[in-house]
Amino acid sequence: MSEFKLLVTGCKGRMGQAVISAAAAQGVPVGAGIDVGDSLSDALSKCSCTIDFSSHHFTNELLTESLRLGKSLVIGTTGHTDEELAQIKEASKTIPVVFASNFSVGVNTLFWLTRKAAELLGPDFDLEVVEMHHRMKKDSPSGTARTLVEILADVRGLDYDTDCRHGRFGDVGARTPKEIGVHALRGGDVVGDHTVVFANVGERVELTHKASSRDTFAGGAVRAARWLADKPAGLYDMQDVLGLK
């Protein structure tokens, strides 16, 4: 295919519409858009790369068709099961995939700063992550919050499943030195707020990112799709796209 064209899934939804607008702003043609009930195969055959912000339940079908047709893929959905994550990793051995919990340049800067702060502040600081999203968000914690916790766990040599504490209720006892707390708030139309707290006796450091528009995520996803155009098979994230690694 001579001309690079995007396929936008969930094209009637809020993120789908934001991606279409972002593509137009960056001069990237949208070859097709699909929503519930539309043919993925027909649409994908006309396009070079898919940007998907629909649902992780659609991931398997999307991977299957992208592999069959040899198309690149940008995945922005969250809440994947371990099986779905394994499928993404396996598919990336054959096609180029950008898979990220957040496509905002600001959030990816937050990822970078979080790692640096954790390294500099050391083990004496307690670690907590707080996120807030709109009332319609289905998964918890957000994919971005999970990435932040995973970064902190990596620096500290901890494990997400073992050392992450999802909220606190009742007589849970004193905070342990190893745990990383993560707290999810839901309400209103909040696009996405994330704060990483480093708390020690006598001082506290907080890193915060607040998104006020979905356009920042959509623009980053289109940028990622453009970046993928000449890349070999592999599993990439926005840190790769932005040159932060």
Side-chain angles (χ1 to χ4, degrees):
M1 184 178 297
S2 58
E3 185 180 20
F4 183 85
K5 294 181 180 180
L6 290 176
L7 167 62
V8 179
T9 64
C11 63
K12 297 178 182 177
R14 290 173 295 182
M15 274 306 303
Q17 288 295 304
V19 170
I20 291 171
S21 296
Q26 295 185 38
V28 179
V30 175
I34 61 170
D35 217 296
V36 178
D38 296 330
S39 170
L40 171 60
S41 180
D42 291 346
L44 189 53
S45 65
K46 307 171 187 175
C47 302
S48 315
C49 177
T50 301
I51 294 180
D52 178 43
F53 281 100
S54 60
S55 168
H56 71 92
H57 298 295
F58 185 52
T59 298
N60 183 49
E61 181 181 353
L62 184 56
L63 289 171
T64 298
E65 284 302 305
S66 297
L67 285 167
R68 186 177 70 84
L69 295 171
K71 309 291 186 175
S72 59
L73 182 57
V74 174
I75 302 175
T77 51
T78 59
H80 297 88
T81 64
D82 290 342
E83 181 181 357
E84 289 164 347
L85 292 173
Q87 291 168 343
I88 293 170
K89 186 175 182 179
E90 184 63 28
S92 70
K93 297 177 181 178
T94 305
I95 58 174
V97 177
V98 171
F99 177 41
S101 59
N102 198 300
F103 285 85
S104 157
V105 174
V107 164
N108 279 274
T109 302
L110 176 62
F111 292 158
W112 188 87
L113 290 170
T114 296
R115 181 175 294 278
K116 292 302 177 183
E119 292 171 349
L120 289 169
L121 294 173
D124 292 337
F125 283 76
D126 297 325
L127 308 175
E128 301 280 321
V129 175
V130 182
E131 58 101 338
M132 183 170 186
H133 285 81
H134 54 88
R135 63 178 62 152
M136 302 301 290
K137 185 168 179 60
K138 297 178 180 179
D139 60 310
S140 171
S142 68
T144 300
R146 174 159 185 147
T147 298
L148 289 166
V149 174
E150 288 172 344
I151 290 169
L152 295 170
D154 183 58
V155 173
R156 290 280 181 93
L158 303 175
D159 177 75
Y160 179 92
D161 294 324
T162 303
D163 300 310
C164 182
R165 177 72 67 87
H166 294 275
R168 295 178 179 87
F169 177 77
D171 187 8
V172 297
R175 191 188 198 285
T176 66
K178 289 180 61 178
E179 70 186 58
I180 303 174
V182 57
H183 314 275
L185 312 180
R186 296 290 178 266
D189 62 352
V190 178
V191 174
D193 296 351
H194 294 86
T195 296
V196 184
V197 180
F198 301 84
N200 200 355
V201 176
E203 63 178 334
R204 183 173 74 251
V205 177
E206 296 185 2
L207 301 176
T208 296
H209 177 273
K210 295 187 177 184
S212 57
S213 170
R214 289 175 178 79
D215 293 345
T216 183
F217 311 129
V222 174
R223 179 173 176 175
R226 293 169 55 197
W227 181 86
L228 265 187
D230 61 352
K231 295 296 181 293
L235 185 59
Y236 307 99
D237 61 21
M238 277 301 286
Q239 302 283 299
D240 296 304
V241 176
L242 298 173
L244 293 176
K245 286 186 174 180

